[in-house]
């Protein structure tokens, strides 16, 4: 039988419920807001006191060259070092495809024991070789196919889609050959489990994490692949090994910057969507593990590493609305790099284009800069 309550009893029950809710609200724990609970705030404070023992302080070219030698050795060490001997490339061409304005060859070669590199050589038809050659390194995404005009289904595309805008093809359109390589952990260079998650999923997490377990880094592994790509270029009569450049966006910009800093065979570099400060990008924002070099802030900031490229030509470009590499820090970093070039009396060899846009390849001034520096045309 249902219990019947009077109006007064119902009113008293409602009041009791309200009072109980208010009492519970009054005893709720207030959120803690102290900045000392914020680890990103703490690490930014630590950056302000970071040793940066090998930061640039040279007053003349002789001092600057000595500084480069010391820092280059330290950066190599921090990346995990490189093999002491080179394994045979055993390069082979897998396929060839002709286009109206260029020829595309797919290749593979051995970088080190157990490691193969895959990629494409695009050579322009409007000029005869040997061609100046740009090593092209894609950023995070589908890998090398996404910079040579191949869509996610393996078909040729007419438009330069995506944030990378087929910049390897753009290099060819500016008269240079493009040697576009698949970075380790992207595209065809992934483990089977990661491949099963789709074309745009990288294997950086297991591979870069493994590198750290060996006391090495993914940046070091990828830089060595660029070095072996230059060895591959040196074997080809249609490519001019004395006119080799390197270019890339985002993670490809990372590899371009470090490769150009460590291998003087790279005569010109274009870093798109990367030049910044470690403090304002990978220290302050969530990034892929492949960006990190353990201990580097004990010795140098990103602009110091970029300074190792001087006096060789360097072009950087940054989008005003890039959410990953904040524009203010990109401008600050470039200003410091330009001072290093000034000590080398090479002010005219370094440029920075700030364009209206987000995190994407622009190339409006950068590609002509490369063509000019590598004496194309």
């Amino acid at each position: 039988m249902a219990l019947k309550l009077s109006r007064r009893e119902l009113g008293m029950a409602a009041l009791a419920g309200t009072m109980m809710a208010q009492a519970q609200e009054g005893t709720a724990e207030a959120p803690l807001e102290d900045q000392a609970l914020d680890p990103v705030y703490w690490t930014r404070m630590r950056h302000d006191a970071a040793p940066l023992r090998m930061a640039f302080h040279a007053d003349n070219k002789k001092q600057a060259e000595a500084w480069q030698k010391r820092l280059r050795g330290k950066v190599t060490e921090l990346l995990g070092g490189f093999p002491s001997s080179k394994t045979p490339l055993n390069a082979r061409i897998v396929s060839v495809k002709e286009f109206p304005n260029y020829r595309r060859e797919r290749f593979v070669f051995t970088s080190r024991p157990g490691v193969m590199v895959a990629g494409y050589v695009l050579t322009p038809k409007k000029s005869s070789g040997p061609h100046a050659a740009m090593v092209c390194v894609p950023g995070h995404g589908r890998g090398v196919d996404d910079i040579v005009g191949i869509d996610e289904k393996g078909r040729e595309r007419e438009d330069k889609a995506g944030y990378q805008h087929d910049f390897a093809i753009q290099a060819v359109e500016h008269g240079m050959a493009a040697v576009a390589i698949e970075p380790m952990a992207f595209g065809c260079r992934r483990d089977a489990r990661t491949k099963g998650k789709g074309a745009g999923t990288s294997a950086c997490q297991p591979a870069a994490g493994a590198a750290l377990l060996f006391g090495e880094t993914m940046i070091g592994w990828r830089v060595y692949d660029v070095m072996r790509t230059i060895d591959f270029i040196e074997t080809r009569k249609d490519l001019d090994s004395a006119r080799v450049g390197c270019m890339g966006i985002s993670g490809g910009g990372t590899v371009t910057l470090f490769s150009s800093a460590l291998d003087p065979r790279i005569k010109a570099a274009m870093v798109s969507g990367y030049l910044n400060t470690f403090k304002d990008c990978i220290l302050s924002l969530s990034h892929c593990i492949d960006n990190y070099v353990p201990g580097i802030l004990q010795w140098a900031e990103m602009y110091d590493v970029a300074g190792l490229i001087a006096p060789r030509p360097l072009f950087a470009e940054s989008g005003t609305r890039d959410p990953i590499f904040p524009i203010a820090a990109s401008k600050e970093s470039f200003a410091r790099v330009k001072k290093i070039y000034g000590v080398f009396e090479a002010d005219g060899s370094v440029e920075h284009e700030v364009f209206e846009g987000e995190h994407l390849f622009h190339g409006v001034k950068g590609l002509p800069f490369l063509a000019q520096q590598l004496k194309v045309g």
Side-chain angles (χ1 to χ4, degrees), residues 40-56:
V40 173
Y41 176 77
W42 177 63
T43 54
R44 286 180 66 86
M45 287 179 59
R46 286 198 61 182
H47 181 281
D48 293 339
L52 303 180
R53 296 184 182 94
M54 290 188 179
F56 182 79

Side-chain angles (χ1 to χ4, degrees), residues 74-352:
K74 177 55 67 174
V75 171
T76 300
E77 174 190 328
L78 294 173
L79 292 183
F82 302 121
S84 57
S85 60
K86 294 181 178 181
T87 191
L89 289 170
N90 295 323
R92 57 190 175 89
I93 303 302
V94 178
S95 63
V96 179
K97 190 164 185 177
E98 301 289 345
F99 295 85
N101 298 317
Y102 64 91
R103 171 188 175 94
R104 188 179 77 202
E105 303 171 69
R106 193 174 193 184
F107 66 83
V108 293
F109 65 74
T110 301
S111 179
R112 62 176 86 197
V115 177
M116 293 190 71
V117 173
Y120 301 92
V121 177
L122 283 62
T123 50
K125 290 183 175 180
K126 67 178 183 180
S127 60
S128 58
H131 305 282
M134 290 302 303
V135 179
C136 298
V137 189
H140 282 74
R142 293 192 297 111
V144 71
D145 283 3
D146 206 26
I147 66 171
V148 299
I150 301 174
D151 70 14
E152 61 276 3
K153 294 183 180 180
R155 303 170 303 191
E156 306 298 334
R157 63 184 178 206
E158 297 298 325
D159 61 322
K160 294 181 174 66
Y163 81 101
Q164 307 190 79
H165 298 307
D166 286 332
F167 68 83
I169 294 179
Q170 291 194 56
V172 175
E173 291 171 345
H174 282 78
M176 298 168 279
V179 185
I181 61 172
E182 187 84 274
M184 186 180 288
F186 293 162
C188 65
R189 300 185 69 188
R190 298 177 296 160
D191 61 281
R193 179 178 295 180
T194 304
K195 286 181 180 179
K197 296 178 181 179
T201 304
S202 79
C204 295
Q205 194 68 21
L212 298 177
L213 294 177
F214 292 115
E216 300 170 23
T217 62
M218 178 59 81
I219 293 177
W221 289 356
R222 290 173 177 165
V223 166
Y224 189 67
D225 284 347
V226 170
M227 293 175 171
R228 297 312 319 268
T229 300
I230 299 174
D231 293 340
F232 168 63
I233 290 171
E234 291 175 343
T235 69
R236 294 187 53 124
K237 294 182 180 180
D238 59 337
L239 303 179
D240 187 350
S241 60
R243 293 186 295 152
V244 173
C246 189
M247 65 190 298
I249 180 172
S250 194
T254 309
V255 177
T256 295
L257 188 143
F258 279 88
S259 298
S260 303
L262 299 180
D263 195 329
R265 294 178 297 173
I266 296 174
K267 304 304 182 185
M270 179 178 172
V271 177
S272 175
Y274 177 69
L275 182 64
N276 205 262
T277 63
F278 293 132
K279 176 181 180 179
D280 290 284
C281 59
I282 64 173
L283 184 148
S284 299
L285 304 169
S286 179
H287 277 253
C288 180
I289 192 173
D290 67 348
N291 282 280
Y292 297 87
V293 179
I296 197 164
L297 288 177
Q298 295 292 320
W299 306 98
E301 246 290 359
M302 190 189 297
Y303 41 75
D304 296 306
V305 180
L308 297 179
I309 303 172
R312 289 168 290 144
L314 168 63
F315 191 96
E317 63 174 20
S318 308
T320 55
R321 301 189 303 277
D322 191 328
I324 309 173
F325 300 95
I327 189 60
S330 291
K331 291 178 178 179
E332 174 195 346
S333 189
F334 178 76
R336 290 176 177 266
V337 174
K338 191 170 179 62
K339 287 182 179 179
I340 297 174
Y341 271 75
V343 173
F344 278 94
E345 300 179 352
D347 303 72
S349 295
V350 61
E351 293 186 23
H352 185 208

